[in-house]
Amino acid sequence: MKYEGTIYRPPSEADSLILQVTIGCSHNKCTFCGSYKDKKFRVRTFEEIAEDVQEAKQYARYIRKVFLADGDALIIPQKRLLPIVQLVRDAFPRLERIGVYGNTKSILKKSVEELKELKDLGVGIVYLGVESGDQVVLDRVCKGTLLDKTAEAAQKVKDAGMLLSVTVLLGLGGVERSRMHAEETGKFLSRIKPDYAGALSVIVVPGTVLADEIKKGTFVVPDPYMLLEELYIMIENTNVDHTYFASNHASNYLPVKAWLPEEKEKTLKAIKHVLAERDPSMLRPEFMRAL
Ligand code: SF4
């Protein structure tokens, strides 16, 4: 496999074959994100992808899950994406699911019918970075999306019968907008009702615009207990039918896993306990946090 640069994938794709179909992120402007700063976005050629698939078949023929990296494989025009997905499907007879990152823009570029075509070929889950339900925060971090549009994109994924997995970012509003960010994000999750919601915590990546803002003092990262309060407020404001909410990503100080609404009260109680105790040993140590 000829991987280019650092490869990122959702935690739930840990046992998947990672197939790089794009290089980098088609947006690549979020102020907090350093993931693809060293890459100029491009779609790999069919021949490059086919070579990797051929190689993977030799040692992972019975793979059950494939994740199409890098950022935002859904941005690939349907005419080019369908043959890639078909190639993957034909190569791995026991394939159960293909996963992709999608952003608001790339999802909206596809019709529900086009998404259904992909679903029929095995694309069963779309990972969408929501980051915040507070439009002010999204604008400040240059996410380049409007919440109404993201809600529309989320609905399209669901209408196509795909699973929708979203991520939100604790601390993204800084100290200044901490409460608003948490409340509005909970409300936005209630609006789009994803199948999975993962909360990560902001980690400052050197070289990003956010790192510069911190140096200048224009952005202050909330401390661990403030981030926990955000987690509490976010869950408190999340009213969904059946969503798996997790904050078990390595960036977080407290791992939480809960089906909402079933385990909401129990989870809020557990967070409240940690907030009341203020015992640092109950939190993930700083040196163990990572993106
Ligand atoms: S957060 Fe997502 S959309 Fe934004 S630059 Fe990073 S990979 Fe691209």
Side-chain angles (χ1 to χ4, degrees):
M1 308 287 283
K2 292 183 191 66
Y3 291 123
E4 278 188 39
T6 311
I7 303 295
Y8 298 90
R9 50 127 184 103
S12 53
E13 299 286 342
D15 55 351
S16 304
L17 171 76
I18 309 296
L19 181 66
Q20 217 174 3
V21 297
T22 61
I23 305 295
C25 162
S26 63
H27 178 58
N28 216 11
K29 291 189 180 81
C30 300
T31 60
F32 57 89
C33 176
S35 300
Y36 302 112
K37 290 288 176 240
D38 57 338
K39 295 179 183 179
K40 189 170 181 302
F41 181 77
R42 73 178 171 91
V43 179
R44 292 182 84 205
T45 64
F46 185 82
E47 290 69 30
E48 283 176 297
I49 297 165
E51 246 181 63
D52 275 357
V53 169
Q54 196 55 36
E55 193 183 333
K57 263 170 73 173
Q58 290 167 22
Y59 67 87
R61 183 159 167 71
Y62 297 117
I63 201 87
R64 290 176 193 273
K65 287 195 330 184
V66 171
F67 179 72
L68 305 182
D70 277 341
D72 198 19
L74 278 185
I75 199 76
I76 303 175
Q78 190 79 348
K79 268 192 186 165
R80 281 180 78 178
L81 186 54
L82 280 179
I84 295 169
V85 174
Q86 185 71 58
L87 176 81
V88 171
R89 199 185 163 86
D90 294 344
F92 305 107
R94 296 199 190 159
L95 190 68
E96 289 168 6
R97 189 178 84 186
I98 300 170
V100 286
Y101 283 130
N103 65 26
T104 298
K105 186 175 150 197
S106 64
I107 296 168
L108 290 182
K109 273 181 174 255
K110 303 235 182 286
S111 65
V112 174
E113 286 64 38
E114 286 177 325
L115 291 171
K116 275 184 183 161
E117 278 183 313
L118 295 169
K119 166 75 171 54
D120 290 344
L121 284 174
V123 180
I125 187 163
V126 175
Y127 298 91
L128 170 67
V130 164
E131 328 302 2
S132 177
D134 180 355
Q135 189 65 52
V136 174
V137 171
L138 291 179
D139 293 347
R140 282 186 186 171
V141 302
C142 302
K143 186 68 190 171
T145 51
L146 294 172
L147 286 166
D148 283 349
K149 291 288 171 196
T150 302
E152 207 183 303
Q155 190 57 49
K156 267 189 158 179
V157 170
K158 288 163 56 159
D159 288 347
M162 294 160 154
L163 292 170
L164 175 67
S165 179
V166 304
T167 48
V168 296
L169 208 40
L170 299 169
L172 197 60
V175 167
E176 189 197 337
R177 263 191 110 75
S178 177
R179 172 166 281 274
M180 183 67 91
H181 163 61
E183 268 179 25
E184 294 303 311
T185 304
K187 286 181 197 163
F188 191 69
L189 291 177
S190 312
R191 179 175 172 192
I192 63 171
K193 296 183 172 41
D195 298 285
Y196 303 100
L200 283 69
S201 294
V202 159
I203 286 192
V204 182
V205 180
T208 56
V209 174
L210 186 70
D212 288 344
E213 288 173 353
I214 289 166
K215 258 189 226 154
K216 285 186 216 144
T218 53
F219 185 95
V220 181
V221 180
D223 70 23
Y225 290 104
M226 209 167 178
L227 291 175
L228 265 193
E229 269 165 32
E230 283 192 16
L231 183 63
Y232 184 95
I233 297 165
M234 203 176 277
I235 294 174
E236 194 181 31
N237 281 279
T238 301
N239 296 304
V240 285
D241 302 329
H242 192 57
T243 294
Y244 187 71
F245 186 101
S247 72
N248 57 340
H249 186 267
S251 60
N252 294 310
Y253 288 99
L254 186 72
V256 155
K257 292 188 217 170
W259 280 104
L260 301 179
E262 297 88 342
E263 297 170 303
K264 183 170 176 172
E265 289 316 313
K266 188 177 86 177
T267 307
L268 289 176
K269 210 171 149 192
I271 300 171
K272 206 175 217 171
H273 175 67
V274 179
L275 279 168
E277 289 294 312
R278 297 256 156 179
D279 174 358
S281 72
M282 294 169 114
L283 305 180
R284 175 178 277 133
E286 201 62 53
F287 74 90
M288 287 181 73
R289 291 180 68 228
L291 277 175

